[in-house]
Amino acid sequence: MAIDMRQFQATFFAESREGLDAMESGLLSLEAAGNDLDTVNTIFRAAHSIKGGAATFGFKAITNTTHLLETLLDQVRGGKRSVDAELSDALLASVDILRELLGSAEAGNPDDSGRSEPLNARLSELLTGAPVAAPAVQAHSPAAPAPSPVEGASATHWQVEFAPHENMFITGNDPLRILRELARLGSMDVNCDTSKLPSLTDLDPHTAYLAWTLELPVSIKRAHIADAFSWVEDECDLRIEGVGQAAQGTVAAAASAPVNVATAPPAVVAEPVAVTASPAAAPAASATPAPADGKSNVTPMAASKAAEPADSSIRVNISKVDALINLVGELVITQAMLKQQSNALDPTLHEKLLNGLTQLDRNTRDLQEAVMSVRMLPVEFVFSRFPRMVRDLASRLGKRVNLRTSGEGTELDKGVIERIVDPLVHLVRNSVDHGLETPDIREATGKNPVGTVTLNASHQGGHIVIEIIDDGRGLNREKILAKAAERGLPVSDQMPDGDVWKLIFHPGLSTAEQVTDVSGRGVGMDVVKQNIAALGGDIDIESVLGQGTRVTIRLPLTLAILDGMTVSVGDEIFVLPLGYVVESLQPGAGDIKRVTGSNRVLKVRSEYVPIHDMGEVFNVPRGPDTVRLGTVVVVENGGRKLALEVDELVGQQQVVVKSIESNYKRINGIAGATILGDGRVALIVDIVSIIRAQQAAA
């Protein structure tokens, strides 16, 4: 039966992209912190995993590039090369090319070698050039003697001992592929080692397998033999020993002892007779001194567990998660209907039924929270792309920038994360381009020549707040007003700073002195505002000339389910998102004052808050029999409050958000709809747009 490889390739593509992200992050940290062995090993493991998977599926272009990349990284691990600016640029360029090659392979063009040829030539030049003298690699173990180079070593005869681990068979690998690759190098004698085969009665098919001893009477380089095992070197015990070392070999074969690949400490990773130590075992082994007999006391399993805590995960298509969330949403609605119908039941006669419904209510809420958490992702998924972007942008602009991030573990709905990426990219680019000065200007004004851009994420109430802060030149009030006046916008010198800063969100308004490929066309900030508003969020700007700018974005945690306060207006029910609600009260006759025409304000303790009748805002007719209790709900957004007059408070509940825009059209002041327990449709109020409309009318 033919096996459909596409399902395995999809996993390879997803894992490879994660590996590239880890490589990029590690390379950037190496640039900042120097040659750290753990970081180098992490990058090497990622490159090695991508190479092994690509070789398995026959993606030659990816395999060739990762092989060169892996060899360079092995030189860094061996202390023969340091990560300087030239190497760092080449390695980061490799990450970009590999992303393109993965995309080509995924689209059905795996041999798109034309993309990678210039890069491969660049990497080959780095490999063949004179190695750069490297400082000692910062390791967490006692210093080891400098390892001997092995890639160029050759011999007239090679002996290879190969014993696969059982995982090699469980994952579906084909060990015979090794023999086929070695056969291309020349003649070979294969002897089977049956030492792992017990008696027939004790035979366990999962642990009984052959080991091989291979004799290769050919004069070739050791690296050519090691390449045949590169895709399984983490899943086997391997020894490659040369006999009759040629003149170019740097170390005699007798000078080295066989080393088990799974237990070799980092100090011997480059010895001529041992392939690279198992990446999973390296960090743990480096922390444990080797015993006097030269053998490691860390078993492969123990090393793997010591390296990182056990964790497991499963990849699920997001459409399946969305379908599950929709079903849970329908369950919440059904549960609310049952709860409402149960209010008419006699508690004495239906005690067990009511207890069961109470338990159902509890379980439904727990299930809802658990399912929603599946869609929650840390903001780190967004923040992780900025170190590379800031590095490249600063290099192009001739600036020195330090990027700081905090709150990366703050979780946000996946749908929100996907749609907030572009606005954040534009804001960070603006901070580097418009906000930060060049080093000479910063020094002339008494600042650190290295500018700082800070990304913060935190929870505040039912929202997530993301801040983009820079310590640059700040916004120029006079320049913004002049540009706005040129475009015919209604401005005045008496405008408060907050209103002036909002002018930059107007389409086409830019204060850049020249148009570049980075910015200056007046396109972007208006789109940023629109995208954030479409998510039910808002954006504020604070700036001090010469000191810097702070951009604050407030977003809902999720777009699917929210906690709301239900209120009645006439015969209609509205839902006010609970994250915006400050308080509800019944004001006295003297608490409401009328100012300038029909506008009214409500005195709430020591401040006056504008008040609006929701019936008038949404044009809801009220019958003569409508009982009005004079109830007011005070809501707040971005430090601005508004009092909404309603007929009655109905209650507080979690509601499932249904989109009106996708099924009908966008309605001003309405963020969505939901279905209540009695089957009626209730509109969810867009508090942000109502407060903005009130400000514009004031």
Side-chain angles (χ1 to χ4, degrees), residues 286-336:
S286 63
T288 307
D293 60 2
K295 297 181 180 179
S296 172
N297 57 5
V298 182
T299 64
M301 186 64 71
S304 178
K305 291 182 177 179
E308 56 185 22
D311 191 13
S312 60
S313 61
I314 183 172
R315 295 182 184 275
V316 179
N317 192 298
I318 191 62
S319 62
K320 294 183 178 180
V321 178
D322 289 340
L324 182 60
I325 289 176
N326 288 334
L327 288 173
V328 171
E330 297 301 325
L331 178 62
V332 170
I333 293 172
T334 304
Q335 184 273 329

Side-chain angles (χ1 to χ4, degrees), residues 431 434-437 442 447 470-477 479-480 501 511 541-550:
S431 292
H434 293 306
L436 298 180
E437 310 94 331
R442 290 181 66 87
K447 291 184 176 181
D470 68 71
D471 63 349
R473 58 173 60 93
L475 296 178
N476 190 311
R477 175 187 172 92
K479 187 178 290 188
I480 294 174
W501 309 148
T511 59
I541 299 178
E542 302 173 32
S543 184
V544 178
L545 187 63
Q547 297 183 24
T549 303
R550 178 193 300 265

Side-chain angles (χ1 to χ4, degrees), residues 337-395:
M337 290 180 179
L338 292 174
K339 183 177 181 180
Q340 183 162 335
Q341 295 298 323
S342 68
N343 291 335
L345 298 178
D346 187 328
T348 304
L349 297 177
H350 304 90
E351 180 181 0
K352 291 185 178 180
L353 175 60
L354 294 176
N355 288 339
L357 290 174
T358 301
Q359 184 66 31
L360 175 63
D361 185 13
R362 238 184 339 261
N363 292 342
T364 302
R365 178 176 288 270
D366 291 343
L367 175 62
Q368 175 184 313
E369 292 176 354
V371 172
M372 289 305 302
S373 68
V374 174
R375 276 189 62 97
M376 303 299 281
L377 295 175
V379 180
E380 182 184 8
F381 278 82
V382 180
F383 284 6
S384 62
R385 71 182 57 205
F386 291 119
R388 173 72 185 280
M389 188 191 81
V390 169
R391 172 194 182 273
D392 293 346
L393 188 58
S395 177

